[in-house]
Every structure is written in structure tokens, then in C-alpha cells.
Amino acid sequence: MDYLKQHNAASAPALLVIARYLASRAEGQSTSDLQKALHPTALKQEQRIPPQGRGGAAASLTASLAVGMELGLLEAHGATRDRRVWSLQDSMRARINAAAADSRTFRSLLLRCMGEKAMRDLDGGDRPSDVTLALTWLLRQDPLAPFPTVWGDGPEAAFRQAKADTLVNNPEQWRAFMRWARALGLAQLADRGGPKPHLLIDPTHALSDVLHAMPSQTPADHWFRRLYSILPILGEPRLIASLPSAGSSTADIPGSIAVAMLKLERIGRLRLVASSDARDAVVLRLGRREQRISEVHTMEGAA
């Protein structure tokens, strides 16, 4: 299912509001009851960046419910749209209940679910969602060259040149895509001194959120394989190979991941052990800077 084309108004903040509400209602809630309870105040308060699609918060609720069910977070019973009863997916209930109280934890859960769904799609011979593939593509772009936030000022040409305009191909989809990238901790807005901000590719928050699940000390190549198994969008080779134009080798560490690794090392959350042996090293490249590392240490208790 393509989110940007079919459910453009869906958003991570709306899914968080829905999950929080359903977490305390094991019996579920009908679509109409959810609309009464969450529209418009709760969704508007959490949304911060309102969707540009038609219908405002009501459209965001409907689209986010569909995406939540697609990702395996939610389930629905009943054929009639307004009387359909929504609840948390039983197999996901514990994970959602643990994450719904904290927006950062929920963001990480949502990113993991998107990656898990993408890998299931690939296993079944299907194409992952447009958002998932576009995020994977974005993270392989130069983090030192932020994207203008206006579609026609650069993003349109970049997506077309990479044959990725099948994923994002108009201003409305680009705005929705930026919302996903920012909400999932993969990008942020940066003021470069001009009249309009730019989208800075930076997955530091997303990577930081899963360090607790990473080994404390391991060879660098093993560390990255573990990372990609948790968050495939950050660089899982099969997902990269499914992009319209993969570009560089699937074995390369994306520059955006190098940015995140170096930032986390700077604040003491990682230790990157340098290597003089090119055969066994993982190479982090950022612009003209190149760093070969043999091991990654995840620092326990580092904030």
C-alpha cells in the first residue's frame, strides 16, 4: 500500500494519539466514536504540522487508521465504515502499550514496524510502501547538501533524476513525506540563513533510540548488520536494492549514518575503534573525510 498516494493525510503524531486512546480501551472503539473523541482537538494539538490534504484532522484520522492497520499496529472488525471497531493488534499490544506513553519510544516503534513490513513485503515478492522506499532513498543522499523544502526548488529534480519520482512526485506528497521523515527522527528542518528552511538529512535520533538493543562491543560489520536488522530503512541491502535507482553499492555505509555515528561518538554514546587494516574495516565517509573502524562499542548508561 502506498501511503503518499492513497493515504496522504496519515501521520506519525496522529497514530500516536490513536494508539494512546486505544491503549486504555481493550474493547475497541468505532470509527465514529474515535472521530468524536479525537477530532478535532486531540489530533490538532499533537499534529503540530497539519496535513495539507483535504479534510484536515478528519482525513488524518481515517488515513492514519488505514496505515496503522497496514503496519500491524491496529485491527478492525466490521464492514460498515462508521461502525467498524478499531483496537490494538493483539500481537502488538504489549509493544504499543509500552511505547504509547512516550512519543520518542513510539516513534522508534513505528520506524521499526515500517521496516519489518517492508521486509515482509520483499519476502512475499511485493514492493514496500512509497514512504519506506523514499525514506531509504533519502538516507543515501548527501547529508551535507540539505534539500529545499519547496518541491520545485530542488527535490523535484532530484527525485526525477534518480527515477524516484514514482515514490514522491508532487508538492503535496513531498510535504507529507517531509512530515514522516521528521516525525520518525530521520531529518530535521535547518535554517541556512535564507528566507526558507531546508530539510537536513540526519538520522541521529532514530539511531540513538535503538542503541539499547545494540551489542555493547562487536566488530563493526556485525554491528551494522544488527542495526539494519532492527531498522532496515537505515541501509538494509535488500531494501536498497529495491530502490528505483540504487546508485552506490549496497555495502556502502550511507553518509547520513556516518553523520549519526560521529555525532553519537562525540556525545559519548558510541566509541568507534579505528582500524589500519582496510580489509577488515568498515568505512565511514562524509564529504572528504574517511574513517576506517574495526569495532563499535555501545556505551552503557550514556545519556
Side-chain angles (χ1 to χ4, degrees), residues 215-285:
S216 60
Q217 180 177 337
T218 191
D221 57 343
H222 294 176
W223 197 91
F224 279 102
R225 281 199 292 271
R226 171 62 177 166
L227 176 65
Y228 297 154
S229 72
I230 297 174
L231 295 178
I233 289 172
L234 296 191
E236 205 284 335
R238 289 177 58 207
L239 195 53
I240 294 170
S242 66
L243 294 174
S245 177
S248 58
S249 167
T250 58
D252 290 345
I253 305 299
S256 64
I257 307 303
V259 167
M261 299 287 289
L262 295 171
K263 288 176 69 172
L264 290 170
E265 182 184 39
R266 191 179 307 127
I267 63 174
R269 303 213 52 199
L270 291 177
R271 179 172 171 240
L272 308 179
V273 179
S275 172
S276 58
D277 189 344
R279 294 173 300 176
D280 298 327
V282 168
V283 181
L284 301 181
R285 292 186 179 89

Side-chain angles (χ1 to χ4, degrees), residues 200-212:
L200 179 65
I201 307 168
D202 183 0
T204 302
H205 289 307
L207 180 51
S208 174
D209 290 343
V210 297
L211 288 184
H212 67 279

